[in-house]
Amino acid sequence: MALIYKCTHIEEIPSQCPLATLHSTLQLSSFLELPNFATLSTEEKKLWEIFALLFSPRPSTELVLEFQAWLCTYTSMNEAVTHYKTKHDDLWAEAWIGISYGSISYAYEMAHASKDYALAILLTIPENQNIKIIARDQIKHWQDTRHFEKMSRCHQKVWYALSGQLGYCAYNAMIVTEDLSWECVLGLYVWSGTCGKQSLANAIQLYNQALAPPHGVHDLLAWKNTAKPPSECFWVGLLRLWTSHSTMLATGSRQERRSVKMETIRMDAWPIRFVWLFSLLKSSWFSVNTVEEATWKWCNELHTVGAIDKSVHAALFIESHHGRESFVRSILRKFEWRNEDYLHKSLKMPLLWIQEAKAVYAHSTKEYATEADYYFKMDEFDKAKHAILCYLVPTTLLHDQSDQALAYLKKLDQPDQPDTEGCILRTTFAALQTLPEQVRNALNHPSHREELRKEVDSMIDQLKGIKDRFPGASLLATLINRLCGRLLGLSARFHDHLHLGQLWETAPLPHKEGQDPVKHFSQCFLKSFTHRIQQHEKILLKAQPAFDL
């Protein structure tokens, strides 16, 4: 990703997600020089190497030579010859295998030794544009004169390859590529397909046609007896895909057979870092969904190794504004960010997005005070209030952190207007601290009891209003239930049981929440009933005369 960053242009879009694009100066060969390249698997190395080879600008003839040289580095001609000779005792076997490796020296020597001077001449001028026509005419002449039958099978195959005939040959019922390894088959198509100044793309298009579903009996015989590359050979899939997007000489159904569709290439098995970069450089080859899916997978892999900032950078390459913003914001919200300067200055991320991401992350870790602070910085008062009322206060007010809860409730007050819900909760909490003493002092004063009764009724009604204004806030609902429960407990000392029952009906305690609220109400009711009995006992005692001994 460091190499990608150096070749990235990031366009800042006010209040929106920035867009990243790659410079045209990106040198694909630079990936092969990275320190960790040697640690990759052999198949992934091949994939990156062929990628750099195919997509770096170079002359057509140079590309052919470099590809043949590259192919030879991973295969052994001697092993291929030995394997082929186990099935074919032919003096031309080495010459036949040699041309699949781009080497004509063995075939040239054998042509001279066999006095096949026509072949020797043609092998030395492969750039002749009419070479295939000349070879076919020569084969036809020798077939007519029966001279072709005197040649060995491998000698005939060299001629067939030179003429561009690599499938089934009806004259002698021969399948030219039979018993060759898949590497030799590919190499043979490259050598034969590039004769006559044809491009590597043209050669691979012919190779695609050979691997396409067969039409007819002869095509079927050739297809069944031609070795195919294994599915885990990623680079061949890339090669075939590359040539499908190159200029084609063929038209109609032949053009379709010389192409390979994206869905037939098993790209899901390719290394995701490669697929991601490939989809960036050749986005026109892919659907929007495929590009976004590759980016998402790559971002997840970067998450796994802890490269979170790089995952944000990768997401900026998505062309769709909506998709890019969705990706980036989802990544930002999942982690704790400490390098704000890199996000804001280097990746040109909107500062408000970073603050919001920090708030969301604080919420996920239950740091509700920190969440509220970030929303205050963003001037998002409603979100800060929601964090305070629905999460911070319910988890701190009736615990050892009541000072923090009260302080943040105070922050909700505006300069010219106190916050309604904040004031109610602060007032209720303060009242719960003083009400026990007020209740004790008011027990023998009916007027004071009536004032307290109205005050408690009002507080419960206000708490019920808060609960109604924040539906779905379960923590806040639980807090209000507990506050109302405490108020009911205090009310039991001066309410009669009938009034207490009415208060229970209006208080926001859920009837079906479980046994705790019911049990609490029963205790309150019992306190009220007991208190009334005690009051009556005192009255009776005062009314009775003293017993005189």
Side-chain angles (χ1 to χ4, degrees), residues 315-353:
L316 296 182
F317 285 94
I318 298 176
E319 291 186 8
S320 163
H321 168 71
H322 175 74
R324 185 171 67 255
E325 179 174 332
S326 176
F327 270 48
V328 170
R329 286 200 163 191
S330 65
I331 296 170
L332 288 175
R333 293 168 178 172
K334 287 182 179 179
F335 302 95
E336 182 179 13
W337 295 96
R338 302 182 185 277
N339 51 349
E340 286 187 38
D341 285 346
Y342 173 77
L343 292 174
H344 183 54
K345 295 179 180 179
S346 299
L347 298 185
K348 300 181 181 180
M349 203 64 58
L351 191 58
L352 284 178
W353 286 23

Side-chain angles (χ1 to χ4, degrees), residues 142 145-153 155-156 171:
W142 279 338
T145 60
R146 301 288 185 175
H147 178 69
F148 200 64
E149 298 174 4
K150 298 176 183 179
M151 298 178 182
S152 71
R153 301 282 283 184
H155 190 178
Q156 293 176 355
Y171 176 79

Side-chain angles (χ1 to χ4, degrees), residues 424-536:
I424 292 172
L425 290 172
R426 294 203 313 271
T427 301
T428 301
F429 182 77
L432 286 173
Q433 315 307 310
T434 59
L435 272 176
E437 182 64 25
Q438 293 181 54
V439 169
R440 284 192 294 270
N441 294 334
L443 286 177
N444 296 320
H445 299 83
S447 61
H448 291 177
R449 288 201 304 271
E450 186 61 26
E451 290 177 5
L452 282 179
R453 179 184 292 117
K454 291 180 180 179
E455 183 179 346
V456 170
D457 289 355
S458 175
M459 283 189 284
I460 289 179
D461 190 55
Q462 289 176 333
L463 289 172
K464 183 177 182 294
I466 295 177
K467 187 176 179 181
D468 292 341
R469 288 193 292 276
F470 290 87
S474 58
L475 293 178
L476 178 61
T478 301
L479 171 66
I480 290 176
N481 290 345
R482 295 181 65 187
L483 291 174
C484 289
R486 293 192 180 189
L487 290 172
L488 282 171
L490 291 169
S491 300
R493 303 192 64 181
F494 52 80
H495 277 97
D496 57 49
H497 58 277
L498 293 176
H499 192 175
L500 193 63
Q502 294 172 358
L503 193 61
W504 162 261
E505 292 296 330
T506 59
L509 294 175
H511 293 266
K512 297 182 180 180
E513 187 173 316
Q515 293 301 317
D516 290 343
V518 176
K519 181 179 178 181
H520 181 70
F521 175 71
S522 300
Q523 292 172 346
C524 294
F525 188 88
L526 181 60
K527 287 181 182 179
S528 174
F529 184 76
T530 304
H531 178 70
R532 288 292 172 183
I533 294 296
Q534 291 173 347
Q535 291 295 320
H536 284 294

